[in-house]
Amino acid sequence: MDLRRIVDLEKFPILDRDFRFTCHSDLNSNGVLVMPGFLTQEAIDSVKRESDTGLHQAYFCQQTHTVYLSPPDPDLPADHPRNRPIKSSKGCITDDQIPQGSVLRTLYDSAEFQDFLCAVLGEAGLYPYADPLSSINIHYAKTGQELGWHFDNSSFAITLMIQPAERGGQFEYIGAVRNADAGDMNFKGVEAVLDGRVAAKRLAMEPGALVLFRGRNAIHRVTPNEGERTRILVVLAYNSKPGVALSEAARLTFYGRTH
């Protein structure tokens, strides 16, 4: 499928050098870049149909994790911010369940789209996951499901909103809470967030929005879906180096299988 049928290239001229520079500057300044209406209505409708058709294949699970997405530290109390249990729940369709003719696969594999992402993210190249599950995922959040507070392990996340929740399902974040590269986990700051003593920012994401987010040092969550409509979000996952696979343990946790 022609990229022009997937992306509104008049509104978002991703091949334009000046536009790329502006996006790069905005992402660096804010830690997040939201591009509302990035997908055409035709593309939104197509992905929505695929998502509805594939829903029965989704792996739904509830997980308990720490904010840091790492095992608890036995040398610290259970109620320490490093160890405090956080709950997340969602459904997921994996890359191997995305149809070969999907607009998602066309967009993901597009050299023009990848060049744009490299310019905005400041990456020399982007590569798919080496395992068959992790590159393109569709996430579902039904009534009551949420993603609890956490930091990402990766330096960037790329998502497409397909269908927001009727109520709830809000993406909330607080930037620069920790400095992972310097080893500063900022336990006091995290504790303030978990105790509700820090006001979070919210992102408004309508169907078709492309979102680039740096979540390694920004704590973030998706609030519980309070409506009957399922929230549908696409995650386009790339690596900065070729040949990287999600660990078998992580695949089993997130997808319920390793291959």
Side-chain angles (χ1 to χ4, degrees):
M1 180 181 289
D2 192 319
L3 191 63
R4 289 172 293 184
R5 294 178 60 184
I6 301 172
V7 177
D8 186 341
L9 294 177
E10 292 187 6
K11 187 176 181 181
F12 301 103
I14 63 175
L15 305 181
D16 182 78
R17 182 177 179 180
D18 291 338
F19 179 72
R20 291 179 173 189
F21 179 79
T22 298
C23 292
H24 175 73
S25 299
D26 288 348
L27 180 61
N28 281 352
S29 297
N30 304 316
V32 62
L33 178 66
V34 181
M35 305 173 70
F38 183 81
L39 294 182
T40 64
Q41 190 60 53
E42 178 184 359
I44 295 170
D45 293 342
S46 178
V47 177
K48 176 64 169 54
R49 287 193 299 271
E50 290 176 8
S51 303
D52 291 343
T53 300
L55 178 58
H56 72 282
Q57 297 178 297
Y59 174 71
F60 281 87
C61 63
Q62 179 169 302
Q63 302 160 354
T64 300
H65 55 85
T66 67
V67 164
Y68 300 97
L69 300 182
S70 55
D73 186 338
D75 295 328
L76 295 172
D79 62 350
H80 188 278
R82 170 68 178 75
N83 290 339
R84 198 180 300 189
I86 307 294
K87 292 189 181 298
S88 292
S89 53
K90 68 177 186 297
C92 183
I93 280 181
T94 53
D95 187 273
D96 63 342
Q97 295 170 318
I98 306 295
Q100 286 301 313
S102 172
V103 299
L104 294 177
R105 201 167 296 286
T106 300
L107 180 64
Y108 185 93
D109 293 337
S110 165
E112 293 87 352
F113 182 58
Q114 291 187 20
D115 286 347
F116 167 71
L117 293 176
C118 285
V120 176
L121 295 167
E123 298 287 344
L126 293 175
Y127 305 90
Y129 273 84
D131 69 76
L133 307 181
S134 307
S135 295
I136 305 173
N137 288 173
I138 300 178
H139 289 184
Y140 303 87
K142 295 184 177 182
T143 306
Q145 295 189 312
E146 63 182 308
L147 290 183
W149 286 114
H150 66 284
F151 296 101
D152 290 342
N153 290 322
S154 59
S155 61
F156 59 85
I158 303 162
T159 61
L160 293 164
M161 174 56 72
I162 302 302
Q163 180 169 270
E166 292 171 329
R167 301 185 308 280
Q170 297 288 333
F171 184 93
E172 298 186 338
Y173 72 101
I174 303 163
V177 172
R178 71 169 181 176
N179 186 339
D181 293 334
D184 177 12
M185 297 296 106
N186 190 10
F187 294 136
K188 288 185 177 180
V190 168
E191 184 176 45
V193 173
L194 297 182
D195 290 343
R197 292 184 277 117
V198 181
K201 296 180 180 178
R202 281 188 170 182
L203 291 186
M205 294 184 286
E206 295 302 316
L210 173 70
V211 180
L212 277 61
F213 181 69
R214 295 199 179 278
R216 182 166 167 79
N217 293 317
I219 195 169
H220 52 287
R221 70 173 178 177
V222 177
T223 63
N225 183 346
E226 300 172 4
E228 295 299 318
R229 185 169 64 202
T230 299
R231 184 182 190 266
I232 302 174
L233 183 83
V234 173
V235 177
L236 305 176
Y238 299 91
N239 290 288
S240 300
K241 298 179 180 180
V244 176
L246 203 62
S247 70
E248 288 196 359
R251 277 178 269 164
L252 191 61
T253 298
F254 297 141
Y255 310 134
R257 57 194 175 98
T258 59
H259 59 275

